[in-house]
Amino acid sequence: MKAARTLTTAAASVALICALPTSTEAMEKVESRNLNMAEDDVSRELMHVSVSFKEECLHKPKDECIDAINARVLETPAIFGNPHVVNYDVRKIREETDEGYNLVSLRTNMDTTTIGGLLGDGMIWYPYEWCLAADNCYTIGPWDCDVGIPLTKEECCKMIKDSVPTADMNGNYLECYFEYPVGTSENPVQTNRIIIHTDANDVVVHIPKNE
């Protein structure tokens, strides 16, 4: 078995969409929750061991991160399903000036039809201000898409778009993008896939895991 670099290459717009950012507070909670998971935990009620790579990767250059993961895979290949190739899915975090800045990410529950949000509480964030002009910007969101029962994708999206009905200074309207959790039919587990989120300088900004 040999661990090799295989970077997922997609159109720039798709890669950006796949790495939609959310509020800093929410992401910090997610990272904290990830760190509390033991490496031998069963993830998402599936027989899949999820291994995180904080020490190897967080705030380090992407290539250094990949080299460190390759070494770890070679040491303990069984944890990763004895892969012949490690699939490194590198995704650049979207920035305010990037294409797709007007998309708000709606993460579904495991049923793929209702909205759970990043933390599973139904809350949805948009990371930027909405600018009608250079000197006329305001905060939008967050939105609660769990009103006792989770809203459907369509209901949540409509509520969000109805709350921001005006196009921004570039003529773009707020639009929805549906994100599906790992382990769903829309995003099945791949034990040899490691998703790495980087910034514009190719520095790793979230803790990678095999998923």
Side-chain angles (χ1 to χ4, degrees):
M1 185 281 298
K2 180 179 181 181
R5 296 188 186 185
T6 301
L7 303 185
T8 298
T9 303
S13 59
V14 174
L16 290 171
I17 288 172
C18 289
L20 296 177
T22 184
S23 74
T24 301
E25 179 183 0
M27 186 53 67
E28 287 175 350
K29 290 179 181 178
V30 170
E31 301 292 17
S32 176
R33 184 172 60 187
N34 287 342
L35 287 176
N36 289 331
M37 295 175 59
E39 291 191 355
D40 60 350
D41 281 349
V42 175
S43 176
R44 302 177 186 89
E45 298 183 356
L46 299 170
M47 292 308 296
H48 163 59
V49 177
S50 181
V51 182
S52 62
F53 300 94
K54 180 187 178 185
E55 298 301 325
E56 294 91 341
C57 295
L58 189 60
H59 306 315
K60 296 181 179 179
K62 176 196 68 182
D63 289 344
E64 180 179 332
C65 166
I66 290 175
D67 286 342
I69 294 175
N70 275 339
R72 190 164 173 188
V73 172
L74 288 171
E75 290 175 0
T76 55
I79 292 179
F80 303 90
N82 295 300
H84 293 290
V85 175
V86 177
N87 176 20
Y88 289 102
D89 187 349
V90 179
R91 306 176 182 182
K92 175 184 172 294
I93 289 293
R94 180 187 57 164
E95 298 178 74
E96 190 171 6
T97 55
D98 288 333
E99 182 180 358
Y101 71 89
N102 60 312
L103 297 175
V104 57
S105 177
L106 278 62
R107 180 174 293 185
T108 72
N109 289 306
M110 295 299 289
D111 60 14
T112 73
T113 60
T114 59
I115 297 300
L118 189 65
L119 299 176
D121 58 1
M123 297 302 296
I124 302 297
W125 287 271
Y126 180 74
Y128 313 121
E129 291 188 318
W130 195 250
C131 294
L132 304 181
D135 58 351
N136 184 13
C137 299
Y138 61 98
T139 299
I140 59 174
W143 302 271
D144 188 352
C145 285
D146 189 335
V147 290
I149 58 173
L151 297 180
T152 66
K153 296 184 294 186
E154 295 76 16
E155 291 169 339
C156 180
C157 180
K158 184 178 186 302
M159 178 188 71
I160 290 173
K161 292 175 67 173
D162 285 350
S163 72
V164 188
T166 307
D168 69 2
M169 57 189 275
N170 299 315
N172 293 319
Y173 289 88
L174 189 67
E175 301 289 348
C176 301
Y177 170 76
F178 299 122
E179 179 187 359
Y180 300 96
V182 174
T184 61
S185 58
E186 300 290 338
N187 188 15
V189 168
Q190 300 177 42
T191 56
N192 70 327
R193 175 181 63 179
I194 298 176
I195 299 175
I196 300 176
H197 292 106
T198 66
D199 62 16
N201 297 313
D202 265 356
V203 173
V204 179
V205 294
H206 299 153
I207 302 172
K209 294 190 301 179
N210 66 315
E211 50 188 3

